[in-house]
Amino acid sequence: LQLVDIGEAGLLTQLFGFCDRTLVGDDAAVLPWLAGRSPVVTTDVLVDGVHFSDRTTPPHAIGWRAIAANLSDLAAMGAEPIAVTVGLSLPGTVAIDWVEALYGGMADCLAQFGGVIAGGDVTRSPVAVVAITAIGALETDSSRTIRRDVAQAGDVIVVTGNHGAARAGLAWLLDDWPGQSPDPANPEIIAWIAAHQYPRPRFDAIAQLDRLRREVFDQGGVDRPIAGMDSSDGLADAVVQLARASGLAARLDRLPIPPGLAAAVGSERAIDWTLYGGEDFELVLCLPPELADRWVQAVGGAAQVIGVMVDRTDSEPIAAWQSAPGHWSALTQAQGFQHFAVESSIAQP
Amino acid sequence: LQLVDIGEAGLLTQLFGFCDRTLVGDDAAVLPWLAGRSPVVTTDVLVDGVHFSDRTTPPHAIGWRAIAANLSDLAAMGAEPIAVTVGLSLPGTVAIDWVEALYGGMADCLAQFGGVIAGGDVTRSPVAVVAITAIGALETDSSRTIRRDVAQAGDVIVVTGNHGAARAGLAWLLDDWPGQSPDPANPEIIAWIAAHQYPRPRFDAIAQLDRLRREVFDQGGVDRPIAGMDSSDGLADAVVQLARASGLAARLDRLPIPPGLAAAVGSERAIDWTLYGGEDFELVLCLPPELADRWVQAVGGAAQVIGVMVDRTDSEPIAAWQSAPGHWSALTQAQGFQHFAVESSIAQP
């Protein structure tokens, strides 16, 4: 059964079941709201053949990733997820099953991390485009809002996990592995594929940060805003942006390379994927030294310290990593994504 | 200059100037928020060749319409516009000037009716898709929230203006006029083209309603919720939906046909466009009789009474209009839009 068979009205009826019924059915959705909160809003657009592909990602995972990417932006602000809207453009030849699996993936991600589908729009298009807007909530004027421009010299740069795994999973799914493609039963490969298909927004790490801030600051210390962002466009991009927005320089003395990746693809490529692979949807935070180690221990897993924020000088790069003792290599944003460049490859977001 | 020449980063820099600079630049935008308000959210997706076309609509007007359509949904809830996000997918061959004109149209509409661009996403796509999400504000648990399901038998059905003008403008722009195409210098044609290209969300009519409710209800009367919605999918669709959601039947004894339309295209087609043309972005409200006439007078222009809500019976249509004295014709949703149907014509939204 294809969309042409049931039409827009038929599809909307099917999709209604995935939405919060108390919110949909009017011209707009009035969100449930607690006093003293402000809305936090973010949008991502995913295009078939650019950001996803049936070659690499089943529709359930496309739906999950689309939601996870937006929720990750909310987590990176310190916000709590409330609702999403889904703007969906689809060719009439798309199977109803495909659309239901897509919404199933969205609903599963929301069920796990919070928030509901508050409505959206469905329309015909020559190419599938999924535009998600997520609305979160933050205490109004809260010092717990996480921003990019409030890092201080001496802050410890931490990450919630390793980077490059999603890129490795994508390479395997694209059959674009450097050298002999590894056995898909390999547990590392399974984890890397999962990192690409089912990323997890790190609200857990923000909850730990909030708890520690209450412990450390509310009992005598002076609270201050924390800088951070998510690593959707790559670890290097996040580090450069945090340093630039805060008027500082970042120095990394350790890269969060996934275990086994260097052995599987070589050191140089493992480093490249870790810095520039993107879409790991981890958080990069700049923590006061008195919080950093306790936070790493509380978050667990692959959370780790990777460097430090320092004062900026004109003669040195804004961000660099120590590739050998005493030898610093500059990090760039230039290897980030250029979606409009004609050489962009499929599913290279 | 095309998008491929400047890339995603270059385009984002250009578009930054259209955004509220206090809101963009982080993972998500924290909206300015007054205590006691709840967010109201709505999304619309417009696809090149389906909802707009360079044949009919310059990019400035595409931007204006995209915003106006979303703001109209906020007006139809009684909400005040606060911010929008813009999810934009574009082929690399699109001219930078086109994108800037698009954003210029969005910014002009927001400047006139309220709200700012709080961010968004830009990505490459084989076809241009504009996905807008608008966030408005309503007093939490306010009885002034306008819903579809709260009409009462005896309510007077009113509209903020005539219907069918946008459809007439579209027909002229598509060079699909029935019979000899009229002179574009004809003031009626100019108004109909403007109705299609530059629709105006009717916040003014809601402001008048709020004022009258305060006058009538706050001074002794008992306030009650008001039913209404916008007519983006056509007048007949709005009337049917209001009646269905409220468990009532709608009886129209007058159609808000634009002056001159019947003379220009014949009575039958004028009626069809008025009922089913769509995209006029007027409001259809169900008012208590003691408010209706005063509201029509206060709003002015082509605001008018068109009918009444009555109790529903099993044997009669949910909505009908009096096509001749004592003769009632049923209104249907079936002539609404079926975007996935293969016979959909270009720019027939």
Side-chain angles (χ1 to χ4, degrees), chain B residues 75-246:
Chain B
M77 301 296 293
E80 172 194 356
I82 302 293
V84 302
T85 63
V86 182
L88 197 54
S89 312
L90 294 171
T93 52
V94 166
I96 305 298
D97 286 351
W98 191 94
V99 184
E100 295 214 318
L102 180 83
Y103 270 72
M106 293 183 190
D108 287 348
C109 188
L110 290 166
Q112 188 145 357
F113 296 101
V116 295
I117 300 177
D121 193 14
V122 179
T123 187
R124 182 171 63 90
S125 157
V127 61
V129 178
V130 185
I132 308 277
T133 298
I135 295 115
L138 257 173
E139 284 166 54
T140 302
D141 299 324
S142 167
S143 63
R144 289 198 164 87
T145 306
I146 295 169
R147 299 190 178 278
R148 297 182 183 178
D149 59 357
V150 292
Q152 298 184 5
D155 276 357
V156 176
I157 306 171
V158 298
V159 290
T160 49
N162 291 318
H163 284 70
R167 182 66 186 80
L170 178 62
W172 192 90
L173 290 163
L174 284 172
D175 205 7
D176 186 28
W177 195 262
Q180 168 105 32
S181 197
D183 184 341
N186 179 327
E188 282 161 357
I189 287 291
I190 291 171
W192 299 339
I193 291 172
H196 173 73
Q197 294 187 334
Y198 289 97
R200 303 175 66 80
R202 300 303 305 263
F203 293 103
D204 63 308
I206 297 297
Q208 294 296 348
L209 178 62
D210 283 343
R211 189 179 60 76
L212 289 171
R213 289 174 79 172
R214 276 193 299 272
E215 278 183 30
V216 171
F217 292 125
D218 293 0
Q219 297 171 3
V222 177
D223 201 0
R224 47 158 284 219
I226 300 291
M229 62 181 287
D230 84 348
S231 60
S232 50
D233 290 335
L235 176 62
D237 177 83
V239 169
V240 169
Q241 296 224 39
L242 287 165
R244 177 173 295 149
S246 299

Side-chain angles (χ1 to χ4, degrees), chain A residues 43 51 85 121 123-124 339, chain B residues 43 45 51 85 121 123-124 339:
Chain A
T43 292
H51 304 89
T85 62
D121 193 15
T123 187
R124 183 168 63 89
H339 279 148
Chain B
T43 292
V45 180
H51 304 89
T85 63
D121 193 14
T123 187
R124 182 171 63 90
H339 280 147

Side-chain angles (χ1 to χ4, degrees), chain A residues 13 34 47 77 95 99 102 124 148 165 215 228 230 235 284 337 341:
Chain A
T13 305
L34 294 176
V47 179
M77 300 297 293
V99 185
L102 180 82
R124 183 168 63 89
R148 297 182 183 178
E215 278 183 30
D230 84 347
L235 175 61
V284 184
F337 313 122

Side-chain angles (χ1 to χ4, degrees), chain A:
Chain A
L1 210 61
Q2 297 179 334
L3 297 187
V4 285
D5 301 320
I6 65 171
E8 184 182 353
L11 180 62
L12 285 173
T13 305
Q14 305 268 88
L15 298 182
F16 194 68
F18 293 99
C19 299
D20 184 317
R21 281 163 192 260
T22 64
L23 299 183
V24 295
D26 238 302
D27 292 77
V30 183
L31 301 184
W33 207 248
L34 294 176
R37 305 287 194 93
S38 293
V40 182
V41 60
T42 180
T43 292
D44 266 308
V45 180
L46 303 179
V47 179
D48 190 6
V50 180
H51 304 89
F52 64 86
S53 159
D54 280 334
R55 283 172 61 199
T56 62
T57 314
H60 185 274
I62 295 168
W64 176 289
R65 279 184 75 222
I67 296 296
N70 280 277
L71 295 192
S72 178
D73 281 326
L74 295 182
M77 300 297 293
E80 170 194 357
I82 302 294
V84 302
T85 62
V86 182
L88 196 55
S89 312
L90 295 171
T93 52
V94 166
I96 305 298
D97 287 351
W98 190 95
V99 185
E100 294 213 319
L102 180 82
Y103 270 73
M106 292 183 192
D108 287 348
C109 188
L110 290 166
Q112 187 145 357
F113 296 101
V116 295
I117 300 178
D121 193 15
V122 178
T123 187
R124 183 168 63 89
S125 157
V127 61
V129 178
V130 185
I132 308 278
T133 298
I135 295 116
L138 257 174
E139 285 167 54
T140 303
D141 299 323
S142 168
S143 63
R144 289 197 164 87
T145 305
I146 295 168
R147 299 189 178 277
R148 297 182 183 178
D149 59 358
V150 291
Q152 298 184 5
D155 276 357
V156 175
I157 305 172
V158 299
V159 290
T160 49
N162 291 318
H163 284 71
R167 183 67 187 79
L170 177 63
W172 193 90
L173 290 163
L174 284 173
D175 205 7
D176 187 28
W177 196 262
Q180 169 105 33
S181 196
D183 185 341
N186 178 326
E188 281 162 358
I189 287 290
I190 290 171
W192 298 339
I193 290 172
H196 173 72
Q197 293 187 335
Y198 289 97
R200 304 175 65 80
R202 299 305 303 266
F203 293 104
D204 63 308
I206 296 299
Q208 294 296 348
L209 178 61
D210 283 343
R211 188 178 60 76
L212 289 171
R213 290 174 79 173
R214 277 193 298 272
E215 278 183 30
V216 171
F217 291 124
D218 293 359
Q219 295 171 5
V222 177
D223 200 1
R224 45 156 283 216
I226 300 290
M229 62 180 287
D230 84 347
S231 59
S232 50
D233 290 336
L235 175 61
D237 176 83
V239 169
V240 170
Q241 295 224 38
L242 287 165
R244 177 173 297 148
S246 299
L248 297 170
R251 294 292 172 263
L252 308 187
D253 45 28
R254 166 182 177 156
L255 296 187
I257 302 177
L261 189 60
V265 299
S267 218
E268 197 177 339
R269 194 179 310 259
I271 290 167
D272 183 59
W273 285 359
T274 295
L275 286 171
Y276 301 104
E279 304 225 313
D280 288 292
F281 299 108
E282 300 287 350
L283 299 180
V284 184
L285 301 170
C286 303
L287 300 183
E290 65 269 31
L291 283 185
D293 288 337
R294 295 177 64 183
W295 177 87
V296 165
Q297 199 165 5
V299 174
Q304 59 200 281
V305 170
I306 61 169
V308 65
M309 283 289 182
V310 299
D311 285 318
R312 192 186 294 175
T313 64
D314 286 341
S315 58
E316 290 173 307
I318 194 168
W321 71 282
Q322 194 167 204
S323 49
H327 182 261
W328 294 87
S329 303
L331 304 183
T332 62
Q333 280 188 287
Q335 295 184 48
F337 313 122
Q338 289 285 321
H339 279 148
F340 292 107
V342 283
E343 68 270 24
S344 286
S345 63
I346 190 169
Q348 170 71 39

